[in-house]
Amino acid sequence: MAGEIPPAQPPPGPPPRPLLWRHRRNPLRRRTDRLRSWIGLGVLIAVLAVAPVTAVLVGDAARGHYEETARHQTQTRYETDATLTRDAPRHPEPGSDEEKHTRYPVEVRVVTREGRTRTTRAEVRPGLSASHTVRIWITEDGEATEPPLTPQEVRSRTVGWALLSALGVALTGAAVHALTALVLRRRDLARWDTAWAETAPRWTSPT
């Protein structure tokens, strides 16, 4: 219709630029461009400063936790003989490559340090017959369990938590930067619409 103001077309997104482009003098540079650039630089500096500190603190806390866990496990678990009360399944075939990595839960009989005989379930190789003896780790109550954490496992878990914490800081920084960019982008579009509403009538009015 004559005199109708056409809708404002959003400005094109910023093309790829060097890292410090928004800090340079440019007639097309907007205030939000400078603001976005400074916020990005601040977030980057904050991540580079905070991530190593966070990794050290979290890693130290994780190491203390897992070392204490390993000490407790060493004090409350021990290795002993266990006798199968029934045959273990024979599949896969004993001696095969698959058999080396396969274990079946089977009922076994153990004697605790206090001299009590009890049964528990432990994972054993395929094909073992009843009355076969295996070495397993048990708790003080005679329950089958995993061996205590080794120093290598403690180090591995400590490093894992340290890396996860540093990654979390980096992801948080990226999210803050992305959210800030979105808010500034919407602000630019709103100002663009306002400016177009004021300018469009001059272009579309009949002379």
Side-chain angles (χ1 to χ4, degrees):
M1 295 176 62
E4 183 180 356
I5 300 176
Q9 298 299 316
R17 300 289 185 180
L19 178 62
L20 299 179
W21 174 78
R22 292 192 180 92
H23 294 286
R24 300 170 56 186
R25 295 184 179 277
N26 189 297
L28 299 179
R29 183 180 60 182
R30 297 164 296 187
R31 181 174 178 273
T32 51
D33 292 329
R34 295 194 299 271
L35 183 59
R36 187 183 300 119
S37 179
W38 283 113
I39 290 175
L41 184 61
V43 169
L44 177 61
I45 294 174
V47 168
L48 293 177
V50 173
V53 176
T54 302
V56 170
L57 294 177
V58 172
D60 186 65
R63 178 179 56 80
H65 168 74
Y66 287 118
E67 286 180 347
E68 179 60 29
T69 299
R71 282 193 294 269
H72 177 74
Q73 291 176 345
T74 300
Q75 295 170 356
T76 58
R77 301 178 182 185
Y78 59 96
E79 196 175 17
T80 188
D81 290 332
T83 304
L84 275 68
T85 61
R86 63 186 62 185
D87 295 342
R90 301 191 64 84
H91 180 79
E93 194 67 27
S96 65
D97 291 337
E98 186 180 0
E99 184 266 345
K100 297 177 182 178
H101 306 286
T102 303
R103 296 293 181 270
Y104 287 110
V106 177
E107 187 177 83
V108 296
R109 184 172 57 253
V110 297
V111 179
T112 65
R113 286 174 174 172
E114 291 76 18
R116 294 184 295 109
T117 300
R118 60 159 302 171
T119 58
T120 184
R121 295 184 70 82
E123 294 189 348
V124 301
R125 300 193 314 273
L128 297 182
S129 59
S131 300
H132 191 95
T133 300
V134 296
R135 296 286 291 179
I136 66 170
W137 284 86
I138 63 172
T139 64
E140 294 177 331
D141 295 331
E143 288 287 346
T145 187
E146 297 292 329
L149 292 174
T150 65
Q152 292 79 7
E153 290 173 328
V154 171
R155 284 195 297 270
S156 176
R157 298 186 182 192
T158 298
V159 171
W161 277 107
L163 292 177
L164 283 176
S165 65
L167 179 61
V169 171
L171 291 177
T172 301
V176 169
H177 183 262
L179 181 61
T180 302
L182 177 62
V183 171
L184 293 177
R185 175 67 174 170
R186 289 183 175 178
R187 180 179 177 182
D188 287 341
L189 291 176
R191 297 176 70 177
W192 178 275
D193 287 338
T194 300
W196 179 252
E198 297 174 354
T199 305
R202 306 173 193 170
W203 293 359
T204 57
S205 298
T207 55

